[in-house]
Structure formats: structure tokens, C-alpha cells
Amino acid sequence: MGGPARSVEALDVVDGLVNPPDDEPAFHVVLPSLPGFGFSGKPRTPGWDLRRIADVWAELMTRLGYERFLAQGSDWGAMVTITLAIHHPDRVAMMHTTVPHATRPSGFSDDELTATERDWLDHEEQFRRTGMGYAAIQSTRPQTIGYGLVDSPAAQLAWIIEKFHDAADCQGHPENAVSRHRMLDNVAFYWFSASGASSARLYWESARNGSGLDMTTPVTVPTAVSVFPEELRKLPRSWVERRFVDLRRWNVLDRGGHFPMLETPTTFVAELRASFRDAPDE
């Protein structure tokens, strides 16, 4: 797994994955922090894009003794997981994501969409129009906003809590989805590590010189997808199947948003167990 604050977000799911009931699979869980985030070092030179991070993750797993492994990711972690699957398919036995990035297939007609899928695409388009200001700032002027985030706890708090308001399944109030304690844990992860500026640079790295996510290369690694109803980006299954050519599992949930490990930890654990229970050995 990997993502902006995944180490904090995973606090309520790790035990269920590591110490399951006797009839459920158990996992070794590795939770790396992305470069510039949390407990990781802060890059001092450009070049820490998704491809480099994926290569480092593969090397990390080698050093930990895992020649093959399962990969899970959402948010930035989804992009790293997909990049791992593209460039290290021999290492990834199976992947799971809540955000299966794909593009509209050539020749695809909107007549093929279900009513739900139309709503999904409309929701994403609305978010792109009204909710992407943070990404525009961080991808073009990360250092400017970074000074404020590192200098002011109020700024850091507002910056993060807005994301819970917009992206959690919370009906207008973040605490309907995530406890105040866990949200403050998340904010503290950024504040005490002074990573407001260094974490913003990943947006900049991914916006320059074509260093962002590869959106078109087919993904051949066996894949499972869990679709949470308030996730920011939900794509038609037909689009996903066209790119993730070995889609083993697809499940649309009835509750949860962009932070499923925090919002619905029991459901998230169940999704990983169901997805990885029959992962191929070779």
C-alpha cells in the first residue's frame, strides 16, 4: 500500500489483515510512505515521479525478502500500484485498487453506459470543475502553498479537513464518516513531519515532462476493483476491463468514499480478503 497518509489511514485495518479469523487469509502488511510524505525522507532534487517511486517500492520489497507480492492502492497509491503493475508485472502477483485509472476506449459510445455509470462520470466532471483547485496549486506552485502548510497548523488543518468534507461519504459533515480523532491523526501526520511542502511536490513532479500516470498501457497483472459510491473517480466497468485485461473481481459497494480504510474499515478488510484469497501463486 502507499499514499499520502496511508500509514495513519490503515491503523484500523492492519490488525484485521495480520490477525484474521482462522478461516480467513493472513497477510504481511508493508505500509511505505511516499517520498516527501510523513516518515519518508524529503527529496532534495527533482525526479521523484511515479516511475521512480514504483522502482523503489520494488527494490524495497526485494530487500524485505519478497520476490512476489500483492499490491493495493488508492489515491496516489493507486497510481503507484498501477505503475508497479506496468513496469514490474513479474513481481506483482495481484493488485487491488479503488481507483482503476483508465481512459475512454476508442470507439466507445455513451449509449453503452448504464444510468449509474452516467452519474459516476457526471460526478467526476463536476469535481474537476469545482474541486481541483488544490491540485492546480500543488502541480504548478507547490512551494508557495507549502510555506503556509508548514508554518500554520490552522492552514494544515483546513487543507486536510476540506478533503474529508469533499471526498468522504459524509452527507456534508466529515465526522459522519470519520472520527475527529482519526482526522486529527491524519493532520498531525503532516504537521509534525513538516511535510506540507515536500508532499505537494509530487503533484508538480507528475505534471511536468510527461512524468504523470501512464493512462493507456494495458495492465496484465490480475486485478481486483472495489468501487465505493462517493469515490471521486468512478469509471464504467467496460472502460476498466478494456485496460485491466485480467480483471478478476469487480464489486460496487453501497457505502464509503475516498477514504475507505477510515470510513468503512471492516468492509475494506473484507474486500481485500475476497480479492486476494485466490491470488495466483505464480
Side-chain angles (χ1 to χ4, degrees):
M1 302 179 188
R6 290 296 179 247
S7 299
V8 172
E9 291 182 33
L11 290 176
D12 296 325
V13 304
V14 169
D15 187 64
L17 296 171
V18 174
N19 299 303
D22 291 340
D23 59 341
E24 296 288 351
F27 302 93
H28 292 179
V29 178
V30 178
L31 288 167
S33 295
L34 293 167
F37 292 78
F39 303 118
S40 289
K42 296 176 173 61
R44 295 179 178 273
T45 58
W48 283 93
D49 57 16
L50 291 170
R51 173 64 188 276
R52 186 172 180 183
I53 294 171
D55 291 344
V56 168
W57 267 208
E59 176 61 24
L60 170 66
M61 296 305 285
T62 298
R63 294 186 184 189
L64 292 174
Y66 300 99
E67 287 305 314
R68 299 236 322 149
F69 50 87
L70 307 166
Q72 192 285 328
S74 55
D75 197 85
W76 280 110
M79 300 185 205
V80 175
T81 296
I82 292 169
T83 306
L84 262 172
I86 291 172
H87 295 285
H88 301 276
D90 56 321
R91 304 293 306 283
V92 181
M94 188 172 181
M95 62 166 282
H96 172 275
T97 187
T98 56
V99 193
H101 292 279
T103 58
R104 178 187 295 266
S106 176
F108 182 86
S109 170
D110 284 354
D111 293 339
E112 301 175 42
L113 296 172
T114 66
T116 297
E117 290 171 337
R118 290 176 187 274
D119 287 343
W120 288 355
L121 295 178
D122 288 345
H123 179 263
E124 181 189 5
E125 180 57 32
Q126 179 180 353
F127 179 73
R128 288 186 178 277
R129 289 197 310 268
T130 64
M132 292 289 289
Y134 72 97
I137 293 170
Q138 290 178 303
S139 62
T140 57
R141 295 293 187 270
Q143 205 64 20
T144 305
I145 187 65
Y147 289 125
L149 298 179
V150 172
D151 184 65
S152 168
Q156 183 67 84
L157 179 68
W159 190 258
I160 297 297
I161 298 304
E162 180 195 56
K163 306 307 177 287
F164 283 107
H165 176 275
D166 290 350
D169 187 1
C170 68
Q171 296 78 52
H173 197 296
E175 288 183 61
N176 290 334
V178 182
S179 72
R180 181 179 300 185
H181 180 79
R182 279 289 180 251
M183 284 192 283
L184 290 175
D185 285 341
N186 196 292
V187 174
F189 187 80
Y190 287 92
W191 176 249
F192 290 115
S193 63
S195 57
S198 57
S199 60
R201 292 183 197 125
L202 183 54
Y203 287 84
W204 178 79
E205 287 281 5
S206 296
R208 70 187 193 98
N209 301 327
S211 298
L213 177 64
D214 177 346
M215 292 286 291
T216 57
T217 298
V219 178
T220 60
V221 165
T223 300
V225 174
S226 300
V227 182
F228 288 89
E230 293 304 314
E231 174 57 68
L232 298 173
R233 186 162 210 236
K234 302 180 292 292
L235 297 178
R237 179 170 180 169
S238 56
W239 295 18
V240 175
E241 287 178 324
R242 194 76 63 91
R243 185 181 190 202
F244 295 81
V245 297
D246 192 0
L247 186 65
R248 302 283 181 98
R249 187 171 188 272
W250 171 275
N251 193 28
V252 180
L253 287 304
D254 59 7
R255 178 171 169 259
H258 188 65
F259 309 96
M261 288 189 285
L262 289 171
E263 299 175 58
T264 57
T266 300
T267 298
F268 183 84
V269 169
E271 283 295 292
L272 285 198
R273 288 173 178 165
S275 297
F276 289 151
R277 180 179 289 110
D278 299 318
D281 294 329
E282 297 181 359

